Amino acid sequence: MQGTLSVSSLGLVLPDGSTLFRNLDASFGRERTGLIGPNGVGKSTLLAVLAGHREPSEGGVHREARTALLTQLSRFGGDATVADELGVSGLLRALARAEQGNATLEELSLIDGAWDLPERVATALERCGIAHIDTDTPLGRLSGGERVRVRFAGLLLADADFVLLDEPTNHLDVRGRAFVYEFVAGWKGGLLTASHDRRLLGLVDRIAELRPDGLALYGGNWHFYRARKAEEQEAARQHLRAAEEELDAVRRASRAAAERQERRSSRGRSRFLERQDMPRVLAGARKRRAQETAGKLSDVHGRRIGDAQQRLREAKEAVDELPVAAVDLQATKAAAARRMLALEEVNVRFPGQAHPFWSQGVNLVVTGRERIALVGANGTGKTLLLQIAAGLRVPELGAMHIGARRAVYLDQHAAFLQPELSVLDNLRAGAPGKAEHEARILLARLGFPGNAALKPAAVLSGGERMRAAVACLLAADQAPDFLLLDEPDNNLDLSAMQAMADALRRYSGAMLVVSHDEAFLDDVGITRRFELPACTDGRG
């Protein structure tokens, strides 16, 4: 059927020999599918394989669709043009030369059938709400949201039957996300999007959950998936309780059988002592039979206990409880009336700018345990304001007072982590008084169980770095009473995002946070939103 993709026994082995995923069997048609799974499971790689950009190690992909892939990052730097991003720069140059009568035979061959390209480009840009942008505009002059729209226009120009989107709302402001939601909701062909954006996942027709051992499909959107997962988890918990009860019963039966055998052996020894005239050969035979019987019983019950233990392990693996991060609430508690931060007509002036950055000074007061979300379009200075609040940037205009005992700024890259140290050692560097088992409990609840806590910070993914950084901040001996968080939810999978939200919700200090995910802001308990003034260049 036209417009479909299917995979059969698909697998991919990494260069180090480890298996990323295997045994994937699925078919994708003219519906919208949300692809979810934990960080590192291979969602981006799977999309690349489906698009034909990467070969699988085993199995195959059958394409009956023209596919186009939107990767997380552009291939081009800021000096490239809109035409480069659209993939039409060479064709547009050839068309321009043809109009001037200077085209070579090779260029004429290149543009055969593409004479209407300028009109198609204009239509694609208009559909994406950026008709005002010229194809020769450098990408560096565009906002983040505009660059994403340009990339979506490239999807339209590809005339694809099936589009593959890799985290399309990452780093986008509210308006940029609204555009992506509109695009996905209105798409009439096949669509597969890897995402942790719950609003976006609410627009799809089904959910595909990628696991190392396969792909599980759920016939509904995010809300349907969560309901089904809740049912599955309740059934798994019941199975776990039954497996625990079975193991306990098998162990009791084993002990009872051993005790009965011991009593029989004891009675046999007593009769033997009473009958000292029993021939030695017969006595030895009886003793060997008793030992063999005891050994056989021990083997039988050992196998039964082993089987029950295996069923218990499988039942535990099936239970996928979300971690709950323990936080020392007293250590982070801020006085309810304490003025943590006060900004009065604060503004900054960059070199070469005739006017201050914001069109008017920023006035903001944070009191007690307030949780405030900074809102505004990309480029309106949300990160800049966090840096000012953290004392990392001194404003040229206005007045600022920081009343927090310890304000900590967590940037998008968690730069304070020491790359050569493990996650555990990074945590203990800021909390030398914390016992190792307590540190490991917190790390396990934020996604670093066992040996995962020993991974060097240098090899962590973006999502892992953010989780490790939050664990280090909350565990510190001098715990911060004011957190300044710059998109802490970016690059997190859904389970990790929930763990992060749980940890932050239990935090009892003040919080100033930048996030474009409304569901995440609700989860951490935002008390109010503060919108930044417009910029002097017209943004915001």
Side-chain angles (χ1 to χ4, degrees), residues 151-197:
R151 299 180 70 208
F152 271 91
L155 290 182
L156 298 178
L157 281 176
D159 195 26
D161 304 307
F162 200 107
V163 294
L164 304 157
L165 313 177
D166 193 1
E167 301 286 1
T169 59
N170 251 13
H171 303 291
L172 290 185
D173 59 23
V174 173
R175 286 184 293 185
R177 289 186 178 223
F179 165 75
V180 176
Y181 301 149
E182 183 180 352
F183 181 95
V184 170
W187 183 254
K188 302 303 182 185
L191 182 147
L192 178 64
T193 177
S195 181
H196 60 256
D197 184 327

Side-chain angles (χ1 to χ4, degrees), residues 246-247 250-251 254 295-311 313:
E246 179 194 14
L247 177 59
V250 169
R251 283 172 170 165
S254 176
K296 289 177 181 178
L297 284 173
S298 178
D299 289 344
V300 168
H301 287 285
R303 286 194 298 273
R304 288 176 179 172
I305 290 174
D307 291 344
Q309 288 174 330
Q310 177 60 30
R311 286 189 287 273
R313 284 192 294 270

Side-chain angles (χ1 to χ4, degrees), residues 133-451:
I133 295 177
D134 296 325
T135 54
D136 59 355
T137 302
L139 295 174
R141 289 174 52 187
L142 304 181
S143 70
E146 287 173 331
R147 288 192 66 165
V148 168
R149 289 174 186 254
V150 168
R151 299 180 70 208
F152 271 91
L155 290 182
L156 298 178
L157 281 176
D159 195 26
D161 304 307
F162 200 107
V163 294
L164 304 157
L165 313 177
D166 193 1
E167 301 286 1
T169 59
N170 251 13
H171 303 291
L172 290 185
D173 59 23
V174 173
R175 286 184 293 185
R177 289 186 178 223
F179 165 75
V180 176
Y181 301 149
E182 183 180 352
F183 181 95
V184 170
W187 183 254
K188 302 303 182 185
L191 182 147
L192 178 64
T193 177
S195 181
H196 60 256
D197 184 327
R198 286 166 283 184
R199 183 172 174 183
L200 177 60
L201 294 173
L203 299 173
V204 302
D205 304 305
R206 64 176 185 165
I207 296 290
E209 184 179 19
L210 182 59
R211 305 165 180 167
D213 60 345
L215 195 67
L217 296 172
Y218 296 80
N221 64 10
W222 168 251
H223 308 291
F224 176 86
Y225 163 80
R226 289 303 299 162
R228 286 296 306 273
K229 286 292 286 186
E231 294 172 0
E232 289 179 3
Q233 286 302 294
E234 179 55 33
R237 284 190 287 270
Q238 291 180 5
H239 188 202
L240 175 59
R241 288 192 291 269
E244 290 171 338
E245 291 172 358
E246 179 194 14
L247 177 59
D248 186 54
V250 169
R251 283 172 170 165
R252 288 200 306 270
S254 176
R255 287 194 297 269
E259 290 169 358
R260 287 195 299 272
Q261 180 61 31
E262 177 59 28
R263 286 196 295 271
R264 284 195 293 269
S265 298
S266 178
R267 287 196 296 271
R269 287 192 296 272
S270 298
R271 288 195 295 270
F272 171 72
L273 291 174
E274 293 172 358
R275 300 182 57 185
Q276 293 295 328
D277 58 341
M278 180 180 293
R280 183 176 299 177
V281 173
L282 181 58
R286 286 190 174 184
K287 182 177 181 180
R288 284 193 300 274
R289 284 198 300 272
Q291 290 173 339
E292 289 172 357
T293 299
K296 289 177 181 178
L297 284 173
S298 178
D299 289 344
V300 168
H301 287 285
R303 286 194 298 273
R304 288 176 179 172
I305 290 174
D307 291 344
Q309 288 174 330
Q310 177 60 30
R311 286 189 287 273
L312 179 60
R313 284 192 294 270
E314 292 172 354
K316 286 181 177 178
E317 290 174 359
V319 176
D320 184 24
E321 299 284 7
L322 288 172
V324 176
V327 179
D328 183 356
L329 299 181
Q330 294 304 314
T332 62
K333 193 170 184 178
R338 188 181 187 88
R339 181 169 287 195
M340 311 297 286
L341 173 70
L343 304 178
E344 184 177 352
E345 295 297 323
V346 161
N347 217 325
V348 297
R349 192 190 304 274
F350 290 102
Q353 275 192 334
H355 303 284
F357 181 78
W358 288 295
S359 58
Q360 62 186 59
V362 176
N363 293 283
L364 172 64
V365 175
V366 182
T367 305
R369 302 165 204 166
E370 282 194 292
R371 295 157 181 261
I372 302 172
L374 291 181
V375 298
N378 287 135
T380 53
K382 297 184 293 295
T383 295
L384 176 60
L385 189 66
L386 288 179
Q387 292 172 342
I388 290 172
L392 301 176
R393 166 88 192 221
V394 178
E396 284 79 7
L397 301 170
M400 177 178 71
H401 172 73
I402 298 178
R405 293 190 303 274
R406 185 181 180 222
V408 173
Y409 170 57
L410 180 56
D411 66 276
Q412 295 182 29
H413 307 292
F416 75 84
L417 291 175
Q418 299 180 60
E420 72 281 3
L421 296 184
S422 69
V423 176
L424 177 61
D425 288 339
N426 265 289
L427 186 149
R428 299 194 72 189
K434 186 174 290 294
E436 181 173 339
H437 74 277
E438 293 178 346
R440 282 185 170 274
I441 288 172
L442 178 58
L443 288 173
R445 287 170 172 167
L446 277 168
F448 296 99
N451 288 335

